[in-house]
Amino acid sequence: MSAKTAQHGSPRVIGLTGGIAAGKSSVTGHLAAKGAHIIDADRVGHEVIAPGGDAYREVVEAFGPDIVSADRAIDRRKLGAIVFASKDKLQTLNRISHPRMAARMAQEIVAIRSRPPAQRPPLIVLEAAILLEAGWNTLCDQVWAVEAPTELSISRLMARNNLGLEAAQNRMSAQITNEERAARATKVIRNSGSMDFLLAQVDLLWQDAVSAD
């Protein structure tokens, strides 16, 4: 069974994505509380570049020993400073890490679906800000995109990360737009009102997803 092929009774995989400061964490937390198994792409990314991880050696070879700390771990701050200053170097890191991440996530999906029926979660949620850009939507049965107005996301980002307006705008402009995500998503979750409004949409999508044949 491939990661994307849900047999009868197997939990569907929901790809959850959205722009920076759009509210993905609130949605993920609500889904986890309802019993979903969460696959956090950031967590998987940490695993593949950890010492002994699938991408560790190649990342060190590509970016040099200066990114390695005394404990042999890759210093993510140093690596981030390199790749976010160069589009080519970011593409190099993505080329190395993304296929390994996809393989790990696919393995996790298969493992969860292989559990005895009573131990399977109602849904598997793959949360990734770059789900669509990385092509990880191919692992999913549906894609839900959390969308907030750009101005609101910028305001949240400035407050959350203590950024100035220009820095926040630069981070926002580095990602695909709300319109691009919406065009490729199965469902769009609007985060432009209260938390109750946000979670009510999630509850409806949950009911549809877990009750579908």
Side-chain angles (χ1 to χ4, degrees), residues 60-102:
V60 174
E61 288 174 353
F63 296 99
D66 288 345
I67 66 169
V68 180
S69 302
D71 61 359
R72 293 186 58 246
I74 290 174
D75 186 322
R76 292 176 59 83
R77 281 196 171 190
K78 288 183 178 178
L79 179 60
I82 293 170
V83 300
F84 288 116
S86 166
K87 186 175 181 180
D88 287 343
K89 290 180 179 179
L90 179 58
Q91 289 176 342
T92 297
L93 177 62
N94 291 344
R95 177 184 55 77
I96 296 168
S97 62
H98 284 182
R100 272 93 167 186
M101 291 174 67

Coordinates of all heavy atoms in Angstrom, one line a residue, residues 60-102:
V60 N 26.3 18.4 5.3 CA 27.7 18.8 5.8 C 28.6 18.9 4.6 O 29.4 19.9 4.5 CB 28.2 17.9 6.9 CG1 29.6 18.3 7.3 CG2 27.3 17.9 8.1
E61 N 28.6 18.0 3.7 CA 29.5 18.1 2.5 C 29.2 19.3 1.7 O 30.1 19.9 1.1 CB 29.4 16.8 1.7 CG 30.0 15.6 2.4 CD 29.7 14.3 1.6 OE1 28.9 14.3 0.6 OE2 30.3 13.2 2.0
A62 N 27.9 19.6 1.6 CA 27.5 20.7 0.7 C 27.8 22.1 1.3 O 28.1 23.0 0.6 CB 26.0 20.6 0.4
F63 N 27.7 22.2 2.7 CA 27.8 23.5 3.3 C 29.0 23.7 4.2 O 29.2 24.8 4.7 CB 26.5 23.8 4.1 CG 25.3 23.9 3.2 CD1 24.4 22.8 3.0 CD2 25.0 25.0 2.4 CE1 23.3 22.9 2.2 CE2 23.9 25.1 1.6 CZ 23.1 24.0 1.5
G64 N 29.8 22.6 4.3 CA 31.0 22.8 5.0 C 31.0 22.5 6.5 O 29.9 22.5 7.2
P65 N 32.1 22.2 7.1 CA 32.2 21.8 8.5 C 31.9 22.9 9.5 O 31.7 22.6 10.7 CB 33.7 21.3 8.7 CG 34.4 22.0 7.6 CD 33.5 22.1 6.5
D66 N 31.9 24.1 9.0 CA 31.6 25.3 9.9 C 30.2 25.2 10.5 O 29.9 25.9 11.5 CB 31.9 26.6 9.2 CG 33.3 26.9 9.0 OD1 34.2 26.2 9.6 OD2 33.7 27.8 8.2
I67 N 29.3 24.5 9.8 CA 27.9 24.5 10.3 C 27.7 23.4 11.4 O 26.6 23.3 11.9 CB 26.9 24.2 9.1 CG1 27.1 22.8 8.5 CG2 27.0 25.2 8.1 CD1 26.0 22.3 7.6
V68 N 28.8 22.6 11.7 CA 28.7 21.5 12.6 C 29.1 22.0 14.0 O 30.2 22.6 14.2 CB 29.6 20.3 12.2 CG1 29.5 19.2 13.2 CG2 29.1 19.9 10.8
S69 N 28.3 21.8 15.0 CA 28.6 22.2 16.4 C 29.6 21.2 17.1 O 29.8 20.1 16.5 CB 27.3 22.3 17.2 OG 26.4 23.2 16.7
A70 N 30.0 21.5 18.3 CA 30.9 20.6 19.0 C 30.3 19.2 19.2 O 31.0 18.2 19.3 CB 31.3 21.2 20.3
D71 N 29.0 19.2 19.4 CA 28.3 17.9 19.6 C 28.0 17.1 18.3 O 27.2 16.2 18.4 CB 27.0 18.1 20.5 CG 26.0 19.0 19.8 OD1 26.3 19.5 18.6 OD2 24.9 19.2 20.3
R72 N 28.5 17.6 17.2 CA 28.3 17.0 15.9 C 27.0 17.4 15.2 O 26.7 17.1 14.1 CB 28.4 15.5 15.9 CG 29.8 15.0 16.2 CD 29.9 13.4 16.1 NE 29.5 13.0 14.7 CZ 28.4 12.2 14.5 NH1 27.6 11.9 15.5 NH2 28.2 11.8 13.3
A73 N 26.1 18.0 16.0 CA 24.8 18.4 15.4 C 25.0 19.6 14.4 O 25.9 20.4 14.6 CB 23.8 18.8 16.5
I74 N 24.2 19.7 13.4 CA 24.2 20.8 12.5 C 23.6 22.0 13.2 O 22.5 22.0 13.8 CB 23.4 20.5 11.2 CG1 24.2 19.5 10.4 CG2 23.2 21.8 10.4 CD1 23.5 19.0 9.2
D75 N 24.3 23.1 13.2 CA 23.8 24.4 13.8 C 22.8 25.0 12.8 O 23.2 25.5 11.8 CB 25.0 25.3 14.1 CG 24.6 26.6 14.8 OD1 23.5 27.1 14.5 OD2 25.3 27.1 15.6
R76 N 21.5 24.9 13.2 CA 20.5 25.3 12.2 C 20.5 26.8 12.0 O 20.1 27.3 11.0 CB 19.1 24.8 12.8 CG 19.0 23.3 12.7 CD 17.6 22.9 13.3 NE 16.5 23.4 12.6 CZ 16.0 22.9 11.5 NH1 16.5 21.8 11.0 NH2 14.9 23.5 10.9
R77 N 21.0 27.6 13.0 CA 21.1 29.0 12.8 C 22.1 29.3 11.7 O 21.9 30.2 10.9 CB 21.4 29.7 14.1 CG 20.3 29.9 15.0 CD 20.6 30.9 16.1 NE 19.4 31.2 16.9 CZ 19.4 32.2 17.8 NH1 20.5 33.0 18.0 NH2 18.3 32.5 18.5
K78 N 23.3 28.7 11.8 CA 24.3 28.9 10.8 C 23.9 28.5 9.4 O 24.1 29.1 8.4 CB 25.6 28.2 11.2 CG 26.3 28.8 12.4 CD 27.6 28.1 12.7 CE 28.4 28.7 13.9 NZ 29.6 28.0 14.2
L79 N 23.2 27.3 9.4 CA 22.7 26.8 8.1 C 21.7 27.7 7.5 O 21.7 28.0 6.3 CB 22.2 25.4 8.3 CG 21.6 24.7 7.0 CD1 22.7 24.6 6.0 CD2 21.0 23.4 7.4
G80 N 20.8 28.2 8.4 CA 19.7 29.1 7.9 C 20.3 30.4 7.4 O 19.8 30.9 6.4
A81 N 21.3 30.9 8.1 CA 21.9 32.2 7.6 C 22.5 32.0 6.2 O 22.5 32.9 5.4 CB 23.0 32.6 8.6
I82 N 23.0 30.8 5.9 CA 23.6 30.6 4.6 C 22.5 30.4 3.5 O 22.6 31.1 2.5 CB 24.5 29.3 4.7 CG1 25.7 29.5 5.5 CG2 24.9 28.9 3.2 CD1 26.4 28.2 5.8
V83 N 21.5 29.6 3.8 CA 20.6 29.3 2.7 C 19.6 30.4 2.5 O 19.1 30.6 1.4 CB 19.8 27.9 3.0 CG1 20.8 26.8 3.1 CG2 19.0 28.0 4.3
F84 N 19.2 31.2 3.5 CA 18.3 32.2 3.3 C 18.9 33.5 2.7 O 18.2 34.4 2.3 CB 17.5 32.6 4.6 CG 16.5 31.5 4.9 CD1 16.7 30.7 6.1 CD2 15.5 31.2 4.1 CE1 15.8 29.7 6.4 CE2 14.6 30.1 4.4 CZ 14.8 29.4 5.6
A85 N 20.2 33.5 2.6 CA 20.9 34.5 1.9 C 21.2 34.2 0.4 O 21.7 35.1 -0.3 CB 22.3 34.8 2.6
S86 N 20.9 33.0 0.0 CA 21.1 32.6 -1.4 C 20.1 31.6 -1.9 O 19.9 30.6 -1.3 CB 22.5 31.9 -1.4 OG 22.7 31.2 -2.7
K87 N 19.4 32.0 -2.9 CA 18.3 31.2 -3.4 C 18.9 29.8 -3.9 O 18.3 28.8 -3.8 CB 17.6 31.9 -4.6 CG 16.4 31.1 -5.2 CD 15.7 32.0 -6.2 CE 14.5 31.2 -6.7 NZ 13.8 32.0 -7.8
D88 N 20.1 29.9 -4.5 CA 20.7 28.7 -5.0 C 21.1 27.7 -3.9 O 20.9 26.5 -4.0 CB 22.0 29.0 -5.8 CG 21.7 29.7 -7.2 OD1 20.6 29.6 -7.6 OD2 22.6 30.3 -7.7
K89 N 21.6 28.3 -2.8 CA 21.9 27.4 -1.7 C 20.7 26.8 -1.0 O 20.7 25.7 -0.5 CB 22.8 28.2 -0.7 CG 24.2 28.4 -1.3 CD 25.1 29.2 -0.3 CE 26.5 29.4 -0.9 NZ 27.4 30.2 0.0
L90 N 19.6 27.6 -1.0 CA 18.3 27.1 -0.4 C 17.8 25.9 -1.3 O 17.4 24.9 -0.8 CB 17.3 28.2 -0.3 CG 15.9 27.8 0.2 CD1 16.0 27.2 1.6 CD2 15.0 29.0 0.2
Q91 N 18.0 26.1 -2.6 CA 17.5 25.0 -3.5 C 18.4 23.8 -3.3 O 17.9 22.6 -3.4 CB 17.6 25.5 -5.0 CG 16.5 26.5 -5.3 CD 16.7 27.1 -6.7 OE1 17.8 27.0 -7.3 NE2 15.6 27.7 -7.2
T92 N 19.7 24.0 -3.0 CA 20.6 22.9 -2.8 C 20.1 22.1 -1.5 O 20.0 20.9 -1.5 CB 22.0 23.3 -2.6 OG1 22.5 23.9 -3.8 CG2 23.0 22.2 -2.2
L93 N 19.8 22.8 -0.4 CA 19.4 22.2 0.8 C 18.1 21.5 0.5 O 17.9 20.3 1.0 CB 19.2 23.2 1.9 CG 18.7 22.7 3.2 CD1 19.6 21.7 3.8 CD2 18.4 23.9 4.2
N94 N 17.2 22.1 -0.2 CA 15.9 21.5 -0.5 C 16.0 20.2 -1.3 O 15.4 19.2 -1.1 CB 14.9 22.4 -1.2 CG 14.5 23.6 -0.3 OD1 14.6 23.5 0.9 ND2 14.0 24.6 -0.9
R95 N 16.9 20.3 -2.3 CA 17.2 19.1 -3.1 C 17.7 17.9 -2.3 O 17.4 16.7 -2.5 CB 18.2 19.5 -4.2 CG 18.6 18.3 -5.1 CD 19.7 18.7 -6.1 NE 20.9 19.3 -5.5 CZ 21.8 18.6 -4.8 NH1 21.7 17.2 -4.7 NH2 22.9 19.2 -4.3
I96 N 18.5 18.2 -1.3 CA 19.1 17.2 -0.4 C 18.0 16.6 0.6 O 17.8 15.4 0.7 CB 20.3 17.7 0.3 CG1 21.4 18.0 -0.6 CG2 20.8 16.6 1.4 CD1 22.6 18.8 0.0
S97 N 17.3 17.6 1.2 CA 16.5 17.2 2.4 C 15.1 16.8 2.0 O 14.5 15.9 2.6 CB 16.4 18.3 3.4 OG 15.9 19.5 2.8
H98 N 14.5 17.4 1.0 CA 13.0 17.2 0.7 C 12.7 15.7 0.3 O 11.7 15.2 0.9 CB 12.5 18.1 -0.3 CG 12.3 19.5 0.2 ND1 11.8 20.6 -0.5 CD2 12.5 20.0 1.5 CE1 11.7 21.7 0.2 NE2 12.2 21.4 1.4
P99 N 13.5 15.1 -0.5 CA 13.2 13.7 -0.9 C 13.3 12.8 0.4 O 12.5 11.8 0.5 CB 14.2 13.3 -1.9 CG 14.6 14.6 -2.5 CD 14.6 15.6 -1.4
R100 N 14.3 13.0 1.2 CA 14.4 12.2 2.4 C 13.3 12.4 3.4 O 12.8 11.5 4.0 CB 15.7 12.5 3.1 CG 16.9 11.7 2.7 CD 17.7 12.4 1.6 NE 19.0 11.8 1.4 CZ 19.9 12.3 0.6 NH1 19.7 13.4 -0.1 NH2 21.1 11.6 0.4
M101 N 12.8 13.7 3.5 CA 11.7 14.0 4.3 C 10.4 13.3 3.8 O 9.7 12.7 4.6 CB 11.5 15.5 4.4 CG 12.6 16.2 5.2 SD 12.4 18.1 5.1 CE 10.9 18.3 6.0
A102 N 10.2 13.4 2.5 CA 9.1 12.7 1.9 C 9.1 11.2 2.2 O 8.0 10.6 2.5 CB 9.0 13.0 0.4

